[in-house]
Amino acid sequence: MTRLTSRTALVTGGSRGIGRAIAERLAADGALVAVHYGSDDTAAKDAVAAIEAAGGQAFAVRATFGTDGAIEQLAGAVAAELHRCTGSDRLDILVNNAAVSESDGGIEAETPAAFDRLFAINVRTPFFLIQRLLRQMGAGGRIVNIGSAVTRIALPGELGYAMTKAALATLGRNLANEVGPRGITVNTVNPGPTRTDRTAFLFDQPQAAAMVSAGQAIERIGLPSDIAAVVAFLAGDDAGWITANTIDATGGSYLGPKTLG
């Protein structure tokens, strides 16, 4: 597929899990992808190598979100590498995927330090990264924020995390109205239960997988590729009339009883 040929993309948290699947899919569709990562050099190299082995183009960029100067460090590195590869620092697609999601245990167990870290990485970073990178985006630009089904489904121990993802959805809706005159779209994708390297310990247990699957309209655990497909659509030309939306990409998680009996 070549629907994103000549496009450039940045995927934050792109070396593992859903982020890696998104980076691989955008590259498979023809984009040159900057794979951001925080600390795992091996995972980043593996992600880039996999993209290149499949015939795509990618490079890795490191920045530790939540630390001083991380946004400018990332933006500068991406601009320099894009210019080297294409002769321009133009960025067409930004996917804000990087986030921390440690269980906070609910309001009784939350601490100011943990709360501040959640918002620093999950809200403040994408906000100011968008601010910094908008100068490199032109008409047809795409911003996709990765939210979470926990903004719809109240799960124990996810209060602080859910608040950050709700803030991200609000950011997307309001920002879409602001940048729409420039021809840039902004959307949010909310994954549900998804099997990644970090959740495999749970979803590889037959009882847990069966319990979660039973709560789905489509009775299986989601895959990173399921989310990547939605992001790839939003990044392409066919989604040019879709903006300010939050897309529930959960397979129908927890919609209610399937029968009346």
Side-chain angles (χ1 to χ4, degrees):
M1 297 179 68
T2 57
R3 56 196 294 273
L4 297 179
T5 297
S6 301
R7 307 286 178 87
T8 59
L10 167 62
V11 180
T12 67
S15 66
R16 300 177 65 178
I18 290 173
R20 174 165 172 168
I22 293 170
E24 290 178 345
R25 176 58 188 266
L26 296 181
D29 284 359
L32 167 63
V33 181
V35 177
H36 159 263
Y37 70 104
S39 60
D40 192 335
D41 295 317
T42 299
K45 290 177 182 177
D46 286 348
V48 171
I51 288 171
E52 292 177 339
Q57 295 179 289
F59 58 88
V61 281
R62 180 172 179 165
T64 304
F65 288 164
T67 61
D68 290 341
I71 291 172
E72 191 58 40
Q73 175 189 347
L74 175 60
V78 169
E81 192 65 15
L82 288 178
H83 199 278
R84 185 187 70 81
C85 294
T86 69
S88 168
D89 66 355
R90 189 192 80 248
L91 182 69
D92 300 302
I93 303 160
L94 170 61
V95 181
N96 284 305
N97 167 74
V100 291
S101 59
E102 293 90 343
S103 176
D104 54 41
I107 196 166
E108 296 274 341
E110 187 61 275
T111 66
F115 187 88
D116 288 348
R117 181 171 183 267
L118 276 172
F119 274 82
I121 295 175
N122 295 6
V123 181
R124 188 178 189 275
T125 292
F127 182 98
F128 286 104
L129 185 60
I130 291 169
Q131 181 194 69
R132 173 62 177 79
L133 293 177
L134 273 173
R135 68 183 74 167
Q136 295 169 226
M137 272 193 178
R142 301 283 189 264
I143 299 172
V144 182
N145 298 318
I146 305 302
S148 174
V150 296
T151 58
R152 172 173 64 84
I153 306 161
L155 296 179
E158 298 287 355
L159 177 57
Y161 176 70
M163 290 172 66
T164 67
K165 292 303 185 178
L168 207 59
T170 301
L171 163 65
R173 184 169 181 82
N174 285 271
L175 180 64
N177 202 36
E178 185 172 335
V179 301
R182 294 177 51 185
I184 298 171
T185 67
V186 189
N187 292 286
T188 303
V189 175
N190 284 353
T194 306
R195 188 193 183 284
T196 67
D197 55 343
R198 293 181 178 177
T199 61
F201 76 94
L202 174 63
F203 295 139
D204 284 351
Q205 299 178 37
Q207 284 186 321
M211 180 184 70
V212 173
S213 296
Q216 303 278 120
I218 301 172
E219 295 186 350
R220 67 171 175 84
I221 305 299
L223 300 173
S225 58
D226 295 321
I227 312 306
V230 178
V231 174
F233 168 70
L234 293 173
D237 291 338
D238 288 346
W241 200 234
I242 299 174
T243 196
N245 277 276
T246 297
I247 297 177
D248 188 276
T250 68
S253 290
Y254 302 109
L255 297 180
K258 293 187 177 73
T259 66
L260 295 178

